[in-house]
Structure formats: structure tokens, C-alpha cells
Amino acid sequence: MEKRVRMFGILGVISLLSYTAMVVFSPLAYPGYDWLSMAVSDLGAEGAPSEQLASQLNALFGPCGLVSIMFVCVGVAGCKSKVLKSGIYFFAAMEWICNVGYNLFPWVKDAPASNPQNVMHLLVTVLVVVFSLASLVLVAIGARKEEMKSLGIWAIVCLVAMLIGPLGTSLLPKAVFGLFERFSTFSAVVFNAILGIYLMKGRFGKVR
């Protein structure tokens, strides 16, 4: 049973690869797309020329990421630290909010931010950021109690990257908005893959 649970961690890595493929190759179907200044969400926005390709390349991101993190939740049950468990559960909640929320309210291209659907898209983004930050802080603290120093370091690195995103997009010129936005988006996707790898290696202890 334990080996079967651990094998699902590979899906976290597949989720990262799917998302990376979408970010890297979708611009090929979007003439004039500038990754330095434009958001990742523009690639899959309603009405965007790259909408279909982005959807195809990103098809494995959501399902694989969700399955992986849910099995990480099963695996972390073997840990003693309630703080670490809470961090993982917060991260799982963020994954659900991200996948369901963005599918329900994709960004509408060429529509103002006041557009109801775009307002909901931004609200989902706020919830994703709040849950992500809370989860990474809790994991960083809880990992020390479980003597999982490397996981705590990864959590801090991803936390810093996630904070660099909004700081860069708010303080620096719009010409580099896309660059710093990617710090935030990739930090969560990368950390999900890291949790999957830890699950595969059995680092969370025995499954109860």
C-alpha cells in the first residue's frame, strides 16, 4: 500500500513539465506576445490566439498536480508535526482553489479589469497567493520539527520567489511585469513537484 501511494508523487513532476511546456511553447501561437511584459494568464485567456494550444499543453498540469498533492496529504499523515501537516493541507487547498477558480473564471482578453469575470479571476489570484504564503511558512516551520531541513529550505526558497513576484510587478516598470510574475507562478508549481519527489522517496514516513 505504501509503495502505491508513493508512486503517485511522479504526477507532481509531470504537472510541472506540463505547465512549463505551456509557458514555453504557447507564445509560438501568439504573434507579438512578449514574455517579459505580459502575464502567463494571457496565453490561455478567452479570445487569445494561443488559447487552444495553451489549453492542450497545460492539460496535465491541473489533474496531475491535484492527484499528487492529495497523495502527499495521505503520506504526510505519518509525520508527527501538526504544523507541517497544516502547511501541506493549506497547499492542497490552494491547488484546488487555483484549478477550479481559474477554470471557472479565465481572464478575458481585451476586457477591463472591472469585467465581472476578470474581477473573479483576480479574487482567485488573491486567495491562491494567501494560501500559498501561509502553507510555505507553515511547511518551513514544520519541516524543522520533523528534521527535514532540505524541505524547509525549499519552502523558504519558494516563499522568497513568491514574494519577489508581487514586489517586482508593483515596484518595477511594466516592461518586466511578465518576468517577475513568473517568479510567483512557478514557485507554487515547483514546490508541488518537490513535495511529489519527497513522497516518492518516502521522506514523509510510513503511510498510516
Side-chain angles (χ1 to χ4, degrees), residues 88-183:
I88 298 298
Y89 299 155
F90 266 77
F91 196 84
M94 180 278 294
E95 289 280 351
W96 279 99
I97 293 171
C98 176
N99 282 274
V100 176
Y102 287 137
N103 278 313
L104 284 175
F105 308 108
W107 188 263
V108 181
K109 183 179 178 291
D110 297 329
S114 58
N115 179 287
Q117 185 160 309
N118 287 350
V119 170
M120 293 304 298
H121 183 95
L122 293 173
L123 177 59
V124 170
T125 299
V126 171
L127 290 174
V128 167
V129 171
V130 170
F131 273 80
S132 296
L133 294 176
S135 66
L136 291 173
V137 170
L138 290 172
V139 170
I141 296 172
R144 293 182 61 184
K145 296 183 178 181
E146 286 285 337
E147 297 184 354
M148 298 172 67
K149 184 178 179 180
S150 59
L151 180 60
I153 292 174
W154 274 113
I156 293 173
V157 169
C158 290
L159 176 63
V160 171
M162 190 169 290
L163 291 173
I164 287 175
L167 288 175
T169 55
S170 61
L171 299 177
L172 296 175
K174 292 184 178 180
V176 291
F177 173 88
L179 172 63
F180 284 92
E181 188 235 14
R182 282 160 173 75
F183 276 94

Side-chain angles (χ1 to χ4, degrees), residues 41-53:
S41 57
D42 289 333
L43 294 169
E46 287 188 357
S50 58
E51 179 183 3
Q52 182 176 355
L53 179 60

Side-chain angles (χ1 to χ4, degrees), residues 17 48 80-81 101 121 124 152 157 168 176 203 206:
L17 294 176
K80 296 179 181 179
S81 173
H121 183 95
V124 170
V157 169
V176 291
R203 297 293 299 279
K206 294 184 178 180

Side-chain angles (χ1 to χ4, degrees), residues 3-19:
K3 289 183 178 180
R4 292 180 181 178
V5 170
R6 287 167 56 181
M7 65 181 287
F8 282 98
I10 189 64
L11 295 179
V13 178
I14 294 175
S15 176
L16 170 60
L17 294 176
S18 178
Y19 184 80

